[in-house]
Amino acid sequence: MSEELSDGVKELESMIGEEYKYGFTTDVEYEDFPKGISEEIVRELSRVKEEPEWMTEFRVKAYHAWKEMEEPTWFNATYKKPDFENMLYYSAPKKKPQLDSMDDVDPNIRETYEKLGIPLEEQKMLSGVAVDAVFDSVSIFTSFKEKLAEAGVIFCSMSEAIKEHPELVKKYMASVVPVRDNFYSALNSAVFSDGSFCYIPKNTKCPMELSTYFRINNMESGQFERTLIVAEEGASVSYLEGCTAPMYDENQLHAAVVELVALDDADIKYSTIQNWYSGDENGKGGIYNFVTKRGICKGKNSHISWTQLETGSAVTLKYPSVILKGDNSVGEFYSVAVTTKKQQADTGTKMIHLGKNTKSTIISKGISAGQSNNSYRGEVRISKNATGSKNYSVCDSMLIGQECGAHTFPYISSENPSSSVEHEATTSRVGEEQIFYLMQRGISEQDAISMIINGFVKDVLKELPLEFAVEANKLLDVKLEGSVG
Amino acid sequence: MLEIKNLHASVEGEDIEILKGVNLKVNAGEIHAIMGPNGSGKSTLAKVVSGHPEYEVTEGEILFNGEGITELDADERAHMGLFLAFQYPVEVPGITNKTLLREAYNTIARANDREELDPLEFEDYITEKLDVIEMKDQFLSRSINTGFSGGEKKKNEIFQMAVLNPVLSFLDETDSGLDIDALKVVSEGVNKIANDKNAIVMITHYQRLLNYIKPDHVHVMMGGKLIKSGGFELAEELEANGYDALEKELVLNGEAQ
Ligand SMILES: Nc1ncnc2c1ncn2[C@@H]1O[C@H](COP(=O)(O)OP(=O)(O)OP(=O)(O)O)[C@@H](O)[C@H]1O
Ligand SMILES: [Mg+2]
């Protein structure tokens, strides 16, 4: 490659590898909690959180299940295994959370969220988005609670839901992702600290977007949140999750479980903008993002859609899935995964068709730069009873530079002839020729690159709720712009 | 308007010299044709003039309206009114033709302190330009060249030329891949665009194109140089006798090295 040309690519890479802006730490005092994991620690965790007996037993059972399970190794990533004995499983800011008003939030934490551009104060929430903020393990503040309550919507931290709405939690928790589903779901079930709970009653359209911001601050803590969203018959909700973490040289583990339940005619749209710290150029530090996300279209005509923009984390293993149980239900997965430097992402989805005339759409766009590795892994399974079902999958990869990798692993099985599965995959390189072509038309180099990338991800980003599409574009721009010149 | 003096260019970072002393002068209002065998350096000349980063000018100069442009980036040259219709137009998925053209048009306008067009004005402007080469408006909302047939890609290049209204255009084998009717339409379009303030350099293998777009000058490129220039009759001579005959003749006259 020519010098100027490889300069162009380098520039492109450095634009994409723009410095992480959320890498600061917040000085707060933490409650003391012993490191490591054992039945005692799990019980202690449950006690500190003042949980009811049934929850404690749920955790203990999960802990024993986990102890017997093996850490998975089947994915396309290599990393130093987390040291489970040396991890902190509970980390809460000392000042008591769950507050009545913003004034009670630790000013340091408030400042953190402000720096992140997440306004917690309701009067600032012009966009009308209700926010649940999770700092390390604990939900700090949930806004717009009253307004939501008027509509009958429950939106609160998981800890609160366990106490206030035990019948709902008991009914649905672990109904979509069983405790023993996988190594990390079992671990999460034992030690999850908090997360969001959201319940939309019958025939209710949630009056605003709901969102949760996760922030890992404490260096030694793992983050294990648990999110449960239930949409009753005819209910609909749009939910967004955003994540950031400070820069530490040590890897931190994030092992969340997210469960979605959609009953007849219900509609759940779950969007993620994931920007955990991804480690430095040499692959030091960064978050391990091992998350189990699954939704069930339990009722007929129900609809679940996952949209994700994955830009951060050192290692990501994540496959938001939909079980299409109800007849005529629809599952969708729209994903943009960007990897730079030494990031490794193995992400994709599973669409399990059980009901008749069920439909699923998968659109996955991977962008790899630097020495990163980006894999798409998708499973489409159409069972014998799922007659007349359809899947349409597209997975496109874009490579920037010569040292990165992109891989596609589709697993398709259909057990009935009346169903159809369509799979398309492409790999392209952001070409010097494309950049030159656009520049010849008068477009600057930076705009040309940004046009090419935006063109590539457009089909996915247009699925994000408007407020968040702006945010997503900004995030992509941050990754894209910068050290030009 | 364009003056190329003793231009030598190599593949950047490598010792492969492709252009070996090109001289060419193009005045406003002129139409030139460059012919020559495969691999003789025609496309490279067009790319070097438009600032492709893959090539490095090692000697000589390119003057555009009297100003040396070899140090300028491709977009800066485009702002000055240089246009290249590509031999192989590039696909850019996800960006529509219209978006590209509006960005391009307004970026060039801005660079020249001309008025930009707002989306509505641009809509009218671009629709008018569709007629120049009888292009269907569905091509406006399709991604740049993506999935276009070979001929449609070539047509799209001339459409872009019509929209951007450049001062100097290189048309690199625009005729290859066009069917007989399309060739006629595109040629007529180019003739409509041509005026006494702009200039066109066509690269082609076939005299047929030159029957539609009459060149004032015809040049023959061989081995990285323009070895012979003349009028329309030179094209006819080539068509009849091929490049071999020309080369022999030049060797006999001691003109070729
Ligand atoms: N980047 C490059 N690296 C190595 N060789 C190159 C490069 N670019 C061009 N060349 C060589 O330079 C020569 C001229 O190429 P060019 O494309 O200019 O030819 P052309 O006259 O346009 O031919 P055609 O009529 O087939 O289009 C060819 O031999 C080509 O292989
Ligand atoms: Mg050529």
Side-chain angles (χ1 to χ4, degrees):
Chain A
M1 204 179 348
S2 71
E3 206 171 290
E4 213 174 310
L5 211 52
S6 65
D7 274 358
V9 171
K10 265 189 225 129
E11 187 169 316
L12 187 57
E13 286 175 343
S14 63
M15 280 162 80
I16 289 207
E18 156 83 340
E19 283 317 302
Y20 191 67
K21 287 190 178 163
Y22 309 103
F24 57 87
T25 51
T26 308
D27 215 0
V28 285
E29 267 191 87
Y30 287 96
E31 260 178 46
D32 287 332
F33 197 82
K35 273 190 192 173
I37 183 161
S38 64
E39 183 175 331
E40 287 65 50
I41 287 200
V42 170
R43 286 190 183 280
E44 175 64 8
L45 171 70
S46 190
R47 194 190 58 77
V48 175
K49 295 175 67 59
E50 298 163 0
E51 287 176 350
E53 176 74 25
W54 60 270
M55 194 65 238
T56 313
E57 291 316 311
F58 175 94
R59 289 177 180 280
V60 169
K61 249 192 182 152
Y63 166 72
H64 289 293
W66 174 74
K67 274 215 76 158
E68 279 156 30
M69 294 172 86
E70 294 273 328
E71 220 181 319
T73 52
W74 45 264
F75 37 74
N76 189 19
T78 47
Y79 58 91
K80 193 171 124 245
K81 288 188 174 181
D83 181 357
F84 297 103
E85 293 308 323
N86 223 348
M87 204 177 294
L88 197 54
Y89 290 87
Y90 184 72
S91 165
K94 213 166 198 171
K95 292 207 180 140
K96 262 292 160 213
Q98 267 322 313
L99 319 135
D100 298 325
S101 94
M102 264 320 287
D103 303 336
D104 300 336
V105 176
D106 183 327
N108 283 328
I109 294 179
R110 240 164 84 177
E111 203 186 311
T112 301
Y113 279 95
E114 263 152 36
K115 265 199 237 170
L116 297 173
I118 302 157
L120 293 183
E121 287 163 79
E122 299 194 15
Q123 56 269 35
K124 279 195 200 159
M125 308 272 317
L126 296 171
S127 55
V129 176
V131 176
D132 184 21
V134 176
F135 191 85
D136 285 329
S137 300
V138 177
S139 173
I140 294 300
F141 191 77
T142 309
S143 63
F144 277 116
K145 254 184 161 156
E146 270 121 64
K147 180 149 184 233
L148 289 167
E150 274 170 38
V153 172
I154 304 171
F155 181 43
C156 63
S157 70
M158 190 52 103
S159 309
E160 193 180 335
I162 289 167
K163 287 172 209 155
E164 309 291 329
H165 309 283
E167 58 313 321
L168 286 173
V169 176
K170 269 191 215 168
K171 182 166 176 192
Y172 290 110
M173 188 153 84
S175 73
V176 191
V177 179
V179 171
R180 291 167 177 276
D181 186 79
N182 66 71
F183 184 82
Y184 287 104
S185 68
L187 177 62
N188 175 286
S189 302
V191 300
F192 75 86
S193 28
D194 213 335
S196 300
F197 174 77
C198 164
Y199 175 84
I200 322 293
K202 247 184 204 175
N203 298 325
T204 303
K205 184 176 184 310
C206 185
M208 61 186 76
E209 305 272 352
L210 302 182
S211 86
T212 299
Y213 276 89
F214 295 111
R215 171 91 182 154
I216 298 180
N217 189 57
N218 194 334
M219 181 164 80
E220 296 165 309
S221 73
Q223 180 148 340
F224 305 93
E225 348 70 52
R226 182 112 200 168
T227 298
L228 175 59
I229 301 176
V230 179
E232 289 274 9
E233 281 95 357
S236 72
V237 62
S238 168
Y239 183 92
L240 180 109
E241 164 202 288
C243 349
T244 57
M247 292 151 65
Y248 291 123
D249 283 349
E250 291 298 314
N251 296 107
Q252 293 162 283
L253 176 64
H254 172 247
V257 170
V258 177
E259 296 175 282
L260 313 181
V261 181
L263 301 182
D264 287 359
D265 303 299
D267 188 343
I268 302 177
K269 184 179 178 67
Y270 193 104
S271 314
T272 303
I273 295 183
Q274 187 263 108
N275 187 21
W276 297 119
Y277 177 52
S278 58
D280 66 11
E281 278 77 15
N282 305 316
K284 205 169 167 57
I287 304 287
Y288 291 159
N289 190 31
F290 303 159
V291 174
T292 308
K293 290 183 164 169
R294 192 174 304 151
I296 182 164
C297 284
K298 214 170 175 177
K300 61 178 164 42
N301 306 320
S302 55
H303 178 196
I304 288 180
S305 150
W306 297 103
T307 304
Q308 56 176 26
L309 172 59
E310 299 281 318
T311 65
S313 298
V315 183
T316 298
L317 305 176
K318 176 180 168 189
Y319 318 90
S321 305
V322 184
I323 300 169
L324 297 148
K325 187 159 179 249
D327 291 347
N328 305 316
S329 58
V330 176
E332 291 164 329
F333 174 74
Y334 301 101
S335 169
V336 172
V338 186
T339 55
T340 65
K341 298 174 188 165
K342 298 215 161 149
Q343 275 178 281
Q344 308 178 71
D346 191 309
T347 177
T349 185
K350 281 184 208 164
M351 293 289 172
I352 312 296
H353 294 252
L354 302 176
K356 295 186 196 346
N357 301 317
T358 47
K359 281 199 192 77
S360 63
T361 302
I362 298 171
I363 298 188
S364 159
K365 305 272 179 176
I367 301 173
S368 359
Q371 296 157 301
S372 67
N373 216 347
N374 203 328
S375 301
Y376 166 81
R377 191 180 301 278
E379 177 173 354
V380 176
R381 205 190 313 152
I382 299 187
S383 73
K384 224 183 242 151
N385 295 330
T387 49
S389 294
K390 283 199 183 87
N391 163 266
Y392 174 65
S393 307
V394 181
C395 52
D396 297 331
S397 312
M398 185 176 267
L399 303 173
I400 298 168
Q402 307 292 329
E403 291 176 85
C404 52
H407 316 271
T408 307
F409 305 100
Y411 307 92
I412 297 166
S413 69
S414 177
E415 291 174 15
N416 75 66
S418 65
S419 295
S420 72
V421 177
E422 216 179 303
H423 180 90
E424 293 169 18
T426 66
T427 299
S428 55
R429 213 169 265 286
V430 173
E432 290 77 32
E433 288 306 319
Q434 284 180 327
I435 297 173
F436 176 64
Y437 187 82
L438 298 178
M439 285 181 75
Q440 205 300 308
R441 299 303 185 243
I443 311 284
S444 72
E445 181 168 18
Q446 190 184 318
D447 288 351
I449 292 165
S450 146
M451 271 174 118
I452 294 167
I453 302 273
N454 281 312
F456 182 68
V457 302
K458 197 166 83 179
D459 290 347
V460 171
L461 292 198
K462 74 175 198 301
E463 295 298 327
L464 285 173
L466 200 59
E467 300 89 311
F468 302 130
V470 176
E471 195 174 333
N473 275 320
K474 255 196 276 173
L475 176 58
L476 266 181
D477 274 353
V478 165
K479 288 239 154 192
L480 286 170
E481 133 202 304
S483 45
V484 190
Chain B
M1 171 185 295
L2 176 73
E3 204 175 349
I4 299 176
K5 292 184 188 163
N6 188 30
L7 184 66
H8 290 254
S10 309
V11 176
E12 170 83 55
E14 281 171 58
D15 213 12
I16 310 172
E17 184 167 77
I18 299 171
L19 301 182
K20 300 172 179 168
V22 175
N23 290 292
L24 177 68
K25 200 168 170 191
V26 179
N27 296 310
E30 290 180 351
I31 296 181
H32 291 239
I34 299 178
M35 305 181 81
N38 295 132
S40 55
K42 304 180 298 296
S43 295
T44 304
L45 175 63
K47 286 192 223 167
V48 169
V49 172
S50 26
H52 198 298
E54 192 154 316
Y55 307 99
E56 183 188 9
V57 173
T58 51
E59 208 185 320
E61 51 186 348
I62 308 170
L63 301 175
F64 190 57
N65 291 332
E67 191 187 327
I69 59 168
T70 43
E71 295 301 317
L72 299 182
D73 286 338
D75 56 330
E76 296 169 305
R77 298 186 202 199
H79 299 164
M80 297 171 81
L82 254 167
F83 182 86
L84 169 60
F86 284 62
Q87 181 175 1
Y88 303 109
V90 182
E91 301 194 356
V92 192
I95 311 164
T96 64
N97 247 334
K98 199 197 289 185
T99 306
L100 165 67
L101 284 171
R102 195 173 64 226
E103 277 296 308
Y105 182 95
N106 283 333
T107 309
I108 294 171
R110 227 176 296 133
N112 290 285
D113 291 321
R114 285 199 306 262
E115 197 137 338
E116 297 181 39
L117 296 180
D118 67 33
L120 287 178
E121 291 168 334
F122 190 75
E123 189 74 38
D124 292 343
Y125 174 75
I126 200 171
T127 310
E128 202 178 290
K129 296 293 176 188
L130 282 170
D131 296 339
V132 176
I133 58 157
E134 298 176 14
M135 185 107 154
K136 293 207 189 77
D137 64 357
Q138 55 146 321
F139 286 101
L140 293 179
S141 49
R142 279 177 64 178
S143 290
I144 305 166
N145 296 325
T146 310
F148 286 26
S149 76
E152 287 166 350
K153 284 182 184 170
K154 292 302 182 64
K155 226 172 146 175
N156 193 30
E157 293 293 286
I158 302 306
F159 171 61
Q160 296 190 20
M161 174 185 171
V163 172
L164 299 180
N165 198 17
V167 179
L168 173 65
S169 307
F170 276 81
L171 312 186
D172 193 353
E173 293 197 27
T174 299
D175 51 337
S176 312
L178 289 177
D179 68 44
I180 304 160
D181 294 344
L183 178 63
K184 222 166 144 181
V185 170
V186 166
S187 302
E188 276 164 19
V190 171
N191 284 327
K192 272 183 234 163
I193 298 168
N195 61 35
D196 58 1
K197 294 199 180 54
N198 61 25
I200 294 167
V201 180
M202 299 180 286
I203 294 168
T204 183
H205 288 295
Y206 307 107
Q207 192 211 320
R208 197 181 54 189
L209 173 70
L210 309 183
N211 294 335
Y212 291 112
I213 308 173
K214 280 270 170 306
D216 304 297
H217 302 274
V218 175
H219 312 272
V220 178
M221 186 153 204
M222 263 189 192
K225 280 168 113 175
L226 297 180
I227 54 160
K228 190 166 184 184
S229 299
F232 186 71
E233 74 291 342
L234 181 53
E236 288 172 323
E237 193 186 316
L238 285 172
E239 187 90 9
N241 305 326
Y243 294 111
D244 268 358
L246 180 67
E247 201 170 12
K248 281 190 193 114
E249 173 201 328
L250 290 173
V251 171
L252 281 180
N253 295 342
E255 286 173 38
Q257 286 130 3

